[in-house]
Amino acid sequence: MKIGIFGCGNVGSASAYACALRGIGTELVMVDQNHALAQAQAEDILHATPFANPVGVRAGGVDDLADAAIVMIAAGVNQKPGETRLDLLKRNGDVFADIIPRIRKSAPGAILLNATNPVDIMTHFAARFSGGGAGRVIGSGTILDTARFRTLLAQHLGVSSHSVHANVLGEHGDSEVLHWSGTSVGNMPLSDFARQTGRPVTEEVRARIDEGVRRAAYKIIQGKGATWYGIGNGMARIAQAILDDESTVLTCCAPIETVEGVDDVTLSLPRIVSEKGISPALYPALDDDERAKLKHSAHVIKEALAQLGL
């Protein structure tokens, strides 16, 4: 199965590299406005395949995305000095208005998988410009925030993160909601597991983990300028669920008709991911505080969309 990667900077190249190492797809086609960058990234990743999986990796143009099962999108412009977030959104909207129809024309059957930030807004843009049917445009959403939540909670409990089942909902951003009330470990409620292992999850622990999840990107960006490994592997994980028709549940974002009384927004809730794309949102049981926070998160996104006329 062919996977296209449109945008070959840090996130796009990390996504392609993760796919190559994990053997996701049989061919990776890397496309960038800077073709020399796409060529360099493709060649570098190809040289890693003898140590991993025999995945073909090459650079190409938009036309080379024909017959791709998935096209990953990691393209956008950077914020200029003195530029507002709204100005940046408008410029990235212009980028998507140009590239999404071209991608869809070349690969009409592909599922579009977006990582461009702000991912909720840009996925809403992509769905607007794409067509292709419901569930065929997916944003990475809070898949990385969820991974951070599970990692930090696992560290506190002294267990593998694979044994922790916890999600982050809403915006991929400052208003995201850690779903503490639905968290379990080894098929046990979090409170029971923490008590039996002598690792209580106090309000202080919750606050520390919440801060660690919510502020992770800022800390990483301060240290190295951007984040890419975590989201790259998250993108590969979503692609694997699609290509293997897993029908697995992941916290991805896609347009939703209404959430907590807020209509027509794009945010993350648990969704089934398979070769058909993404299912309608699944709505987990939330406590009153989580419901209020999710409503606030939806409003934050809705206000940004309204400023852009969407």
Side-chain angles (χ1 to χ4, degrees), residues 95-142:
V95 171
F96 269 42
D98 172 52
I99 68 172
I100 299 297
R102 290 197 288 131
I103 292 171
R104 184 57 79 199
K105 181 179 179 180
S106 182
I111 292 173
L112 304 187
L113 179 51
N114 175 52
T116 300
N117 275 321
V119 69
D120 307 290
I121 307 299
M122 300 315 300
T123 301
H124 201 89
F125 264 116
R128 178 68 58 89
F129 295 127
S130 168
R136 306 294 290 180
V137 177
I138 304 172
S140 56
T142 58

Side-chain angles (χ1 to χ4, degrees), residues 9 20 36 38 45 54 100 102 141 143 208 211 233 236 247 256 260 267 272 275 308:
I45 293 170
I100 299 297
R102 290 197 288 131
I143 192 168
R208 174 169 51 80
E211 178 75 5
N233 215 8
S247 294
I256 183 171
E260 291 296 334
L267 50 66
I272 301 169
E275 66 179 4
L308 296 168

Side-chain angles (χ1 to χ4, degrees), residues 222-310:
Q222 184 178 20
K224 70 172 195 173
T227 68
W228 57 83
Y229 293 124
I231 188 57
N233 215 8
M235 291 284 281
R237 180 66 189 94
I238 300 169
Q240 181 182 38
I242 294 168
L243 295 186
D244 292 349
D245 195 22
E246 290 184 12
S247 294
T248 195
V249 178
L250 299 171
T251 52
C252 302
C253 70
I256 183 171
E257 187 173 324
T258 185
V259 56
E260 291 296 334
V262 182
D263 298 334
D264 190 25
V265 293
T266 293
L267 50 66
S268 289
L269 285 168
R271 293 172 181 263
I272 301 169
V273 182
S274 69
E275 66 179 4
K276 296 177 182 178
I278 196 169
S279 76
L282 302 170
Y283 208 97
L286 305 173
D287 63 27
D288 290 344
D289 181 59
E290 290 164 346
R291 289 190 64 182
K293 288 178 178 176
L294 183 60
K295 183 174 183 176
H296 170 69
S297 191
H299 273 299
V300 168
I301 296 166
K302 185 67 175 180
E303 288 172 6
L305 291 171
Q307 287 182 302
L308 296 168
L310 292 175

